[in-house]
Amino acid sequence: MRRRTIAGYGAAGAGAIALTLFVGWWRVDGPGAPEPIEQRPMALTEMDFRLTDHEGNEVGPETLIGRPTMAFFGFTYCPDVCPTTLSDISGWLDDLGDEAKQLNVVFITVDPERDTVEAMAEYVSYFHPAIRGWTGPEGQIARIADGFRAAYERVPTEGGDYTMNHTASVFLFGAAGRFVTMIDYHEPREFAVPKIRRALEEETEGAT
């Protein structure tokens, strides 16, 4: 009888884990994720937005021109995708060593209502020091997301609160501002780091 009970607990635990993984997939990569925008991201030189970084400095497309860029959209209340991805990015930057100094690395909020400059400053402090946090008015967030072809949406939760669904991939641009490629959520390090090096090797012609 005891063996049967233990087996029952094991099956229940495995079922709970499977359900958790399924819910994560549903929200990030599955039908519950924002609809993908089937367009190539614009060149940074063609974008127009004004945001503020986590130190209170005004930033725009010109901030990124001249060095390769790695960018990720998310929010500080994100329960798993954002901290996981920012931890992955931190590991990739460690792997790059001195090469990482050549990169712009930005974390752009899709939840400016809660993600103030102060909130972004605290949040990015938990990750690699090269990562910059960007926030700003909702209209400007929408403009940069549109330029990147990134999707996001506000989703109500119980108790009158909300969460955000958003594109979970990392965007890579060359120094001249041209889109290079994307790193998918949970992409293995052995594939992600070569993609970053590819962006680093993009010619800088046209960069200012």
Side-chain angles (χ1 to χ4, degrees):
M1 181 67 181
R2 186 176 179 183
R3 287 183 181 177
R4 188 175 301 173
T5 302
I6 292 172
Y9 287 149
I17 292 171
L19 178 61
T20 300
L21 292 173
F22 175 77
V23 170
W25 167 81
W26 179 275
R27 290 183 174 178
V28 176
D29 296 314
E35 286 295 323
I37 302 175
E38 298 297 339
Q39 297 182 44
R40 183 182 178 88
M42 296 169 59
L44 294 171
T45 51
E46 298 173 359
M47 296 188 199
D48 181 19
F49 60 84
R50 308 312 303 173
L51 297 174
T52 304
D53 73 12
H54 70 270
E55 294 182 336
N57 303 305
E58 184 177 279
V59 293
E62 71 283 354
T63 307
L64 304 176
I65 305 298
R67 295 200 297 172
T69 293
M70 177 161 49
F72 173 66
F73 288 82
F75 62 115
T76 65
Y77 282 72
C78 183
D80 43 35
V81 174
C82 301
T84 297
T85 301
L86 290 171
S87 294
D88 286 344
I89 290 173
S90 297
W92 303 336
L93 293 172
D94 287 339
D95 284 354
L96 289 168
D98 288 341
E99 290 180 278
K101 298 176 182 177
Q102 304 173 41
L103 280 167
N104 298 308
V105 188
V106 293
F107 170 56
I108 306 159
T109 184
V110 295
D111 183 19
E113 180 177 324
R114 295 183 293 196
D115 289 345
T116 62
V117 169
E118 294 76 17
M120 293 294 277
E122 179 181 0
Y123 193 72
V124 297
S125 71
Y126 299 128
F127 304 100
H128 194 284
I131 300 173
R132 314 289 297 175
W134 286 12
T135 187
E138 173 59 41
Q140 295 299 312
I141 296 295
R143 291 184 73 143
I144 187 172
D146 183 62
F148 275 74
R149 309 309 189 208
Y152 67 96
E153 62 179 344
R154 180 167 168 155
V155 180
T157 59
E158 294 181 3
D161 204 355
Y162 69 93
T163 188
M164 303 293 296
N165 283 350
H166 59 90
T167 297
S169 299
V170 175
F171 296 83
L172 292 170
F173 290 79
R178 291 184 290 268
F179 174 69
V180 175
T181 190
M182 297 173 76
I183 300 173
D184 294 331
Y185 180 57
H186 276 329
E187 186 159 341
R189 182 175 299 197
E190 57 266 31
F191 298 133
V193 173
K195 285 185 175 182
I196 299 170
R197 288 203 165 100
R198 179 178 153 200
L200 285 165
E201 292 166 1
E202 284 284 302
E203 293 189 13
T204 59
E205 182 181 352
T208 57

